[in-house]
Amino acid sequence: TDRIYQALLEIEKEQEVDVIVNLQGDLPDIKPEVISKTVNALINNKGFDIATAVVEIKEKHQEDDPNVVKAVVNFSNEAEFAEAHYFSRAKVPYNAPKFYEHIGIYAYHRDAIEKFVNLAESNLEKAEKLEQLRAIDNGMKIIATLVPHEQKPISIDTKEDLELLLRKIS
């Protein structure tokens, strides 16, 4: 996020852009619909500083995989959006009927990214190695949009993930 903000300062000096998207490079096959849905979640849900995306975890072994970041959200009924309360590499919340995987995309309001980059790393951020916890620990609100499983991008975190992507595109 710090690098995204530095690039913003270099290329967009007039401060005309209100929404900045941070799309992590380990998601080479992310669908444009996921990006649009994340941006629209931020624009259409007032009171949130940041938007991100999640997908329901369908494969049980991923629930315990520390490379799969879990998002603690409470999607009521058939809601497409919910506040993100926490992110972890652990299987949380305890005994949940569903678990959600975080997708590495963020949309920030301009003032939110400016605030975020000036905050110190939080203790939870250091423990989990997840920068979005810095925002939550400092009272910033993150909205998560629920992405259909068929739109889930492959996150390249391991050699096996890369092999999966290569099989998918060949």
Side-chain angles (χ1 to χ4, degrees):
T1 302
D2 292 324
R3 292 186 302 256
I4 297 294
Y5 183 68
Q6 288 304 314
L8 175 68
L9 294 178
E10 286 294 317
I11 62 174
E12 207 277 321
K13 298 183 188 300
E14 301 302 316
Q15 298 189 10
E16 295 173 355
V17 174
D18 180 52
V19 175
I20 295 91
V21 177
N22 178 350
L23 177 58
Q24 297 180 8
D26 60 356
L27 300 171
D29 69 334
I30 193 165
K31 307 271 187 290
E33 298 86 3
V34 174
I35 299 168
S36 296
K37 191 172 183 184
T38 304
V39 170
N40 288 332
L42 184 65
I43 293 170
N44 296 326
N45 291 281
K46 303 300 177 208
F48 289 91
D49 303 293
I50 304 167
T52 194
V54 300
V55 63
E56 184 180 341
I57 294 175
K58 298 284 189 181
E59 298 174 20
K60 286 290 186 192
H61 73 275
Q62 291 185 329
E63 294 174 2
D64 294 308
D65 185 343
N67 291 314
V68 176
V69 174
K70 275 61 79 182
V72 178
V73 292
N74 187 16
F75 289 106
S76 56
N77 299 323
E78 296 299 314
E80 290 185 56
F81 309 106
E83 183 174 354
H85 298 287
Y86 192 73
F87 295 85
S88 181
R89 296 180 182 284
K91 185 178 177 180
V92 292
Y94 175 76
N95 209 26
K98 294 180 183 179
F99 295 92
Y100 297 95
E101 177 179 355
H102 178 243
I103 297 173
I105 179 174
Y106 300 97
Y108 296 86
H109 284 297
R110 183 183 202 97
D111 60 338
I113 197 169
E114 289 172 350
K115 176 180 178 179
F116 180 87
V117 299
N118 288 299
L119 295 170
E121 281 186 73
S122 72
N123 290 334
L124 289 175
E125 173 185 7
K126 290 175 189 174
E128 293 272 12
K129 297 194 180 356
L130 298 171
E131 74 173 0
Q132 62 270 42
L133 293 176
R134 181 187 324 170
I136 292 172
D137 287 343
N138 284 279
M140 298 178 79
K141 294 179 70 99
I142 301 175
I143 189 165
T145 183
L146 183 59
V147 171
H149 205 267
E150 60 273 7
Q151 291 181 350
K152 177 187 173 188
I154 297 174
S155 180
I156 309 300
D157 298 311
T158 65
K159 181 180 178 187
E160 292 78 20
D161 296 334
L162 178 58
E163 291 168 354
L164 177 64
L165 177 68
L166 293 173
R167 283 193 305 275
K168 181 179 174 182
I169 63 175
S170 58

